[in-house]
Amino acid sequence: MRKSRIRLFAATGVALAALALTACQDGTGTKDEGASESTATATTDTSSGTSQGTSKGDATSNEHAQAGGADSTGGSSGSTDNGNTGSTGKGSDKSAGTSSGTGSDDGPETRVACNGSNTTVTAQPVSRPVNHMLITVKNTGSQPCDLTYYPVLRFDEMQWVPQPVEASQPQSVVGIDPGQSAYAGVLLASADGSGDGGTTGHKLTVGFQGRTPNSDGGPSATPSLPAKGVYYDSTLAVTYWQQSMEDALTY
């Protein structure tokens, strides 16, 4: 019985030794297969991971590329729009500047002055209001002209200048188109007789002012007076140039 067990153990040992030797020779075995499976699994996992990583990376890159392309296109469109808008804005500004420049050609600094060379002037006493005279200036030229401030009046050889009625000053320069007229009213004498030094004038000179007060505005005019002359005293005053006859005789 004991010998049988010894033989069985010996036979089992020989079989195990033979099995181990065979495994070593052909490169197979439980451990090697386990290692191979582990390696294969790791390789597969790595490959799968790499593939997934690459796929995700590519997808991410594609998304970024698409997003970047969209951003780039959007930026380009924005730049183009802004550029066009800016260009249009500047163009509008230039156009507006040109238009303003053209408009300024008709401004006071380029318009001609009304004076004795391009107008006809009349002076006519009126019944209402009393002791008043109306001066009328008609543009006989070919282009509009401007009347600045008020007429400078001089009867005969008088040595003083009648003062203007300040309340009559208009808000802008009075302009006259060709064939049209403007006016000024003259208070010859006070209605209550408070004036002094009354006398009769037989000759009237109407002077024109330039762009600054009391400057020379060009040739004067000498409108005819009634044969009997015009009576005036120290209260003699004149209005600023007016666009209408009614305004000229209001003061």
Side-chain angles (χ1 to χ4, degrees):
M1 186 70 173
R2 184 176 180 182
K3 290 182 179 180
S4 297
R5 291 181 179 177
I6 294 173
R7 289 177 182 175
L8 178 59
F9 290 145
T12 301
V14 171
L16 291 175
L19 180 60
L21 179 62
T22 301
C24 291
Q25 288 177 350
D26 59 11
T28 61
T30 304
K31 293 184 178 180
D32 291 340
E33 288 177 357
S36 177
E37 289 177 358
S38 176
T39 303
T41 302
T43 302
T44 302
D45 292 343
T46 302
S47 175
S48 175
T50 303
S51 176
Q52 292 176 358
T54 302
S55 176
K56 290 181 179 179
D58 292 342
T60 302
S61 298
N62 289 337
E63 290 175 0
H64 282 297
Q66 292 176 358
D71 291 343
S72 176
T73 303
S76 176
S77 299
S79 176
T80 302
D81 291 343
N82 291 338
N84 290 339
T85 302
S87 175
T88 303
K90 291 180 180 178
S92 298
D93 289 342
K94 290 181 180 179
S95 176
T98 303
S99 176
S100 297
T102 303
S104 66
D105 291 341
D106 294 330
E109 60 277 356
T110 57
R111 291 167 61 96
V112 299
C114 300
N115 53 45
S117 67
N118 55 11
T119 65
T120 56
V121 181
T122 61
Q124 182 65 43
V126 296
S127 58
R128 292 287 185 274
V130 296
N131 299 338
H132 276 69
M133 182 173 69
L134 179 68
I135 297 176
T136 303
V137 178
K138 182 178 181 179
N139 184 352
T140 57
S142 59
Q143 61 188 118
C145 66
D146 291 334
L147 287 167
T148 54
Y149 307 107
Y150 52 89
V152 179
L153 304 182
R154 183 182 182 189
F155 283 104
D156 300 319
E157 301 299 324
M158 63 187 300
Q159 301 299 311
W160 55 281
V161 176
Q163 293 302 300
V165 179
E166 292 297 341
S168 67
Q169 184 173 0
Q171 294 183 352
S172 59
V173 173
V174 174
I176 318 176
D177 289 331
Q180 301 300 310
S181 299
Y183 310 89
V186 182
L187 172 62
L188 295 170
S190 61
D192 59 4
S194 59
D196 55 21
T199 187
T200 300
H202 295 278
K203 178 184 177 181
L204 175 64
T205 300
V206 178
F208 299 87
Q209 299 187 61
R211 296 297 174 188
T212 57
N214 302 316
S215 62
D216 184 7
S220 59
T222 54
S224 300
L225 295 177
K228 63 177 182 178
V230 174
Y231 178 84
Y232 67 93
D233 63 21
S234 60
T235 61
L236 178 67
V238 62
T239 69
Y240 282 77
W241 292 112
Q242 305 294 323
Q243 205 74 59
S244 71
M245 183 187 305
E246 291 75 13
D247 289 341
L249 295 176
T250 298
Y251 302 93

